[in-house]
Amino acid sequence: MLRTQRYAVGAAAGAFVLALAVSGCGGSGTSSIPSPSGSNSSSSATQPVADTLSTAKADKVGTVVVDNKGFVLYRFDQDTAKPTSKSNCYGTCATLWPPATVTRDITVKGIDKSLVGTVTRADGSKQLTLAGWPLYRYSKDDQPHEAYGQGVAGTWFAATPTGAKAASSTGGGSGGGSGY
């Protein structure tokens, strides 16, 4: 009976991810950036999630950047780092991939502080950047040091201490699906 309930919950979660994929999150090459009024912003997506950045080992990914709770931080290929940092993950995307926002100074451990900065999101919140890349959590990582978002949709990658994409020994995302 418990196994049947787990399958039902898994199927429901899969349907939710599929619904998110259909609604979009940069997968079509277009972005859904809200107006500065923040009409597409989610208040849960802009809660401060990091005040300390450090490094940790994640299975099958290697050394990555984690927040103060040990959760892996990711970068999104459809964002820009140069010449100016810009986040392109809003609305539904930011629900699945909450931005790593901050409201105070950042402490770093094992990361060059000169690589750490912030970018102002459309709702006025400050999102952490590493080497110019905006940083995010993955909502399916429910335990510290999990990296289920690695390689999702071929556009989401755990961030290394230099801001580069983490290499995956599995050759793809362990989170499955489109990630949106």
Side-chain angles (χ1 to χ4, degrees):
M1 183 72 158
L2 183 57
R3 184 176 292 183
T4 302
Q5 289 173 338
R6 285 185 182 164
Y7 288 130
V9 169
F16 177 73
V17 169
L18 181 59
L20 289 174
V22 172
S23 67
C25 178
S28 65
T30 62
S31 61
S32 58
I33 299 173
S35 66
S37 68
S39 59
N40 280 343
S41 301
S42 166
S43 62
S44 65
T46 59
Q47 294 299 313
V49 296
D51 61 4
T52 300
L53 295 181
S54 58
T55 61
K57 296 266 186 193
D59 286 344
K60 301 179 183 174
V61 180
T63 301
V64 296
V65 176
V66 297
D67 66 12
N68 55 313
K69 294 180 181 175
F71 285 93
V72 173
L73 296 176
Y74 297 88
R75 51 176 274 180
F76 182 37
D77 281 352
Q78 292 187 13
D79 286 346
T80 58
K82 294 181 181 184
T84 305
S85 298
K86 181 180 177 191
S87 172
N88 288 309
C89 180
Y90 285 91
T92 305
C93 179
T95 299
L96 189 57
W97 298 91
T101 58
V102 294
T103 57
R104 58 183 178 204
D105 289 339
I106 302 302
T107 303
V108 296
K109 297 177 184 172
I111 300 165
D112 183 349
K113 184 149 179 118
S114 70
L115 295 176
V116 178
T118 61
V119 63
T120 302
R121 294 180 59 79
D123 65 1
S125 64
K126 298 289 185 183
Q127 182 174 1
L128 280 172
T129 61
L130 184 59
W133 290 100
L135 297 176
Y136 304 84
R137 290 253 327 262
Y138 184 43
S139 62
K140 292 186 179 186
D141 288 349
D142 57 2
Q143 297 292 319
H145 304 166
E146 287 182 342
Y148 291 121
Q150 175 67 10
V152 169
T155 59
W156 290 95
F157 297 92
T160 69
T162 62
K165 297 178 193 179
S168 176
S169 63
T170 61
S174 57
S178 69
Y180 304 113

